[in-house]
Amino acid sequence: MNTYANPRIAVVGATGAVGTTMLSILEERKFPLDDLRLMASSRSAGRTLDTKWGSIEIEDLASADPSNVDIALFSAGGARSLEYAPHFASAGATVIDNSSAFRMDDTVPLVVAEVNDEAIESHEGIVANPNCTTMVAMMAAGPLHRAAGLRTMIATSYQAVSGSGHTGVAQLASEIDFFEKNQDALVSGGWEEPDGDLYARPIAYNVLPLAGPMSDAGYTEEEWKLVHETRKILDRDDIKIEPTCVRVPVMVGHGIAANLWFDRPVDLDEAVAVLGEAPGMQLWDDTKVPTPLDTVGTDDVLIGRLRETIGHPGGISLFAIGDNLRKGAALNAVQLAELLLS
Ligand SMILES: NC(=O)c1ccc[n+]([C@@H]2O[C@H](COP(=O)([O-])OP(=O)(O)OC[C@H]3O[C@@H](n4cnc5c(N)ncnc54)[C@H](OP(=O)(O)O)[C@@H]3O)[C@@H](O)[C@H]2O)c1
């Protein structure tokens, strides 16, 4: 594995929801970079972004020279990752990719910082950042798995609209404006459809039990990601996972309600002891309720509602929530870049 003292960084997708968060996090964490390049589509090329490292002109990814980059942080969508990440890797860069393009590739480690850091050492030029919902779930399930061996997880996500990028945030904001003009209809019925087809149904004042495109066996791509990525990150193929992914009218903060069973019974005291010591999270007792608003703009994943299962005893139920743009994407990518620092 290449390590770097003061790497030359490229942020690909620098104008997006994740890319702009990456720039703030690089700055906040005083990342010791030697050079910063910003790339996006031809729509943004030529514009400049103000950063701690000066005002930097955005390059068109399609024509950008991939040489002289040590670490490329990709968050420009799966199609761009598939097309350009291998060029950056062959030109000598280590790519940290936020899309789903390479996550299940056997030669690409899938790494949640502070959960399975050791996996990054096997990379061959590309490292994958997990899906934002899986990431939040793993911050809770990972430490418990190390202690007792995760066998079964039933999980329901509550995913924010910023998981769909800037367009998700804009869609929710415009639907809130639209519905507020006729609030009575939200109580009495007779509401009208807002514009926009980003989601299958209106998202404002609503809950959509369908996040992401439909895939095999009646489960969505988001749900299959939770299944496959969990098994890969925890390095156990026989974990039984029952996922339901739901989109909620929240700007930022993906939550997950999970019921977890292990190779042996785990009681509340043990779960508190394990999670209380785990890095990157705060364990909240029942006097505090972790919500999306508590997590927005913060790095830690918040875990609350910790309790022993009652329907099928021996397991642990909990609610975990994290900022999907930070730990769910940009922060984890920067933490992986930090693992590459010598
Ligand atoms: N949002 C999340 O919570 C989250 C979490 C984990 C992973 N991700 C992944 O991160 C990636 C970006 O997500 P996002 O939420 O930041 O989306 P976004 O806000 O829509 O931003 C997309 C970014 O990709 C760039 N882009 C689009 N088409 C391009 C092209 N043809 N060539 C070069 N750049 C192009 C855009 O540049 P322009 O501004 O020039 O169009 C923009 O910088 C996606 O792969 C997503 O799955 C997102």
Side-chain angles (χ1 to χ4, degrees), residues 48-334:
T48 54
L49 283 184
D50 290 331
T51 76
K52 179 197 165 196
W53 297 273
S55 184
I56 300 177
E57 185 170 321
I58 298 167
E59 301 174 52
D60 182 355
L61 173 63
S63 54
D65 176 3
S67 56
N68 301 317
V69 173
D70 295 317
I71 300 175
L73 301 168
F74 266 70
S75 66
R80 267 66 64 192
S81 294
L82 278 174
E83 186 171 357
Y84 298 103
H87 295 309
F88 278 72
S90 352
T94 302
V95 172
I96 297 173
D97 184 36
N98 262 292
S99 79
S100 58
F102 302 103
R103 287 180 192 149
M104 296 316 298
D105 185 322
D106 285 342
T107 65
V108 174
L110 182 63
V111 190
V112 180
E114 300 179 308
V115 171
N116 66 330
D117 291 1
E118 65 289 349
I120 200 172
E121 286 167 24
S122 66
H123 84 77
E124 298 175 9
I126 302 178
V127 181
N129 227 26
N131 167 262
C132 35
T133 304
T134 310
M135 191 94 73
V136 172
M138 290 306 94
M139 292 301 287
L144 292 167
H145 170 68
R146 300 269 178 249
L150 181 63
R151 185 180 282 182
T152 304
M153 175 167 82
I154 300 173
T156 302
S157 71
Y158 299 78
Q159 298 181 215
V161 294
S162 56
S164 316
H166 281 323
T167 50
V169 172
Q171 182 68 28
L172 175 56
S174 82
E175 289 188 21
I176 289 171
D177 282 351
F178 175 83
F179 279 122
E180 280 189 345
K181 291 183 189 116
N182 187 4
Q183 286 187 11
D184 289 347
L186 294 172
V187 178
S188 314
W191 55 271
E192 291 173 12
E193 288 277 342
D195 287 340
D197 56 4
L198 180 64
Y199 298 119
R201 306 291 297 121
I203 183 65
Y205 301 99
N206 211 3
V207 162
L208 273 65
L210 178 89
M214 188 53 77
S215 182
D216 296 339
Y219 287 74
T220 63
E221 285 181 13
E222 288 290 293
E223 289 160 350
W224 280 113
K225 285 175 193 171
L226 192 57
V227 172
H228 296 309
E229 294 182 22
T230 296
R231 290 177 177 156
K232 181 168 177 177
I233 293 160
L234 300 185
D235 194 20
R236 181 170 184 174
D237 289 339
D238 64 351
I239 302 174
K240 294 187 178 70
I241 300 166
E242 195 52 60
T244 304
C245 289
V246 178
R247 187 77 64 189
V248 293
V250 159
M251 288 298 185
V252 169
H254 282 5
I256 190 149
N259 316 113
L260 308 164
W261 290 271
F262 304 90
D263 289 335
R264 58 174 175 77
V266 172
D267 65 17
L268 187 59
D269 287 346
E270 181 178 4
V272 168
V274 169
L275 294 177
E277 297 213 331
M281 73 170 70
Q282 294 173 29
L283 182 57
W284 284 18
D285 65 26
D286 283 343
T287 61
K288 295 193 286 181
V289 184
T291 69
L293 289 178
D294 295 306
T295 201
V296 59
T298 67
D299 288 349
D300 284 346
V301 168
L302 308 177
I303 315 265
R305 298 297 323 281
L306 197 67
R307 59 209 191 273
E308 293 175 4
T309 53
I310 49 170
H312 183 73
I316 290 294
S317 293
L318 54 80
F319 185 76
I321 187 142
D323 183 324
N324 50 293
L325 298 175
R326 293 179 76 90
K327 184 60 189 178
L331 171 65
N332 198 69
V334 174

